[in-house]
Amino acid sequence: KLDFTMPANESSTVSCVSEVVAPTVPVVTDACGNTLTASTPVVSTMPTCEGIVTYTYTFTDCSGISHAWVYTYTIEDTIAPTGTAPSDLVLECLSEIPVASAADIADAIDNCSGNVVITISDVNNGGTGCFGSPYIVNRTYTLTDCAGNVTDLLQTITVEDTTAPTFVEPLPVNETVECN
């Protein structure tokens, strides 16, 4: 029995699971020059985000000699998700500060079309919100994809009461008083 020669295994790195497709199988000939047909591939388990996927094809000649050819995908997402922070706000009253919500980032997307987890944190400067002592909130929306890539979006909310008070009741009538 004469053995046949297999081409080298191949591999590539991709960003997303969706980029893993059946590879182009090499042409393999037996020792007599006959083209061999590859078996149906055995495909390893597909990861949900990052990892390794292999396609293994087996070539067998007419004398029963078999060799495997393996194509390996390394899935490595290095691209952070994107989104747009809500506009900065300038408000007059502390009660006007909107409640933070992940829905505030309506355009959060990931290059691999995966789920983007949005967490929110607020840090304030300790101001009172009164004139001359603005209350400033730095609201950070952290976007995280399945591979752990992170994007921070910042919204600044400034509260400072700059409107002078007004008298809302009728003014009392003027009076003239005499003293003894």
Side-chain angles (χ1 to χ4, degrees), residues 79-93:
I79 300 171
T82 60
T84 306
S87 298
D88 291 345
L89 298 173
V90 177
L91 307 170
E92 289 271 328
C93 301

Side-chain angles (χ1 to χ4, degrees), residues 14-30:
V14 295
S15 294
C16 307
V17 170
S18 62
E19 297 173 51
V20 174
V21 295
T24 301
V25 180
V27 175
V28 177
T29 55
D30 66 13

Side-chain angles (χ1 to χ4, degrees), residues 97-104 120-122 139-141 155 157:
I97 296 174
V99 174
S101 168
D104 296 340
I120 305 163
S121 63
D122 285 354
R139 181 168 285 167
T140 303
Y141 295 83
Q155 177 188 33
I157 303 169

Side-chain angles (χ1 to χ4, degrees), residues 106-120:
D107 62 347
I109 58 171
D110 181 51
N111 64 307
C112 292
S113 302
N115 187 29
V116 176
V117 176
I118 300 172
T119 56
I120 305 163

Side-chain angles (χ1 to χ4, degrees), residues 4-9 26 28-29 36 57-59 66-70:
F4 60 95
T5 304
M6 287 294 295
N9 293 332
V28 177
T29 55
L36 301 178
Y57 295 86
T58 301
F59 293 87
S66 294
H67 293 288
W69 179 79
V70 179

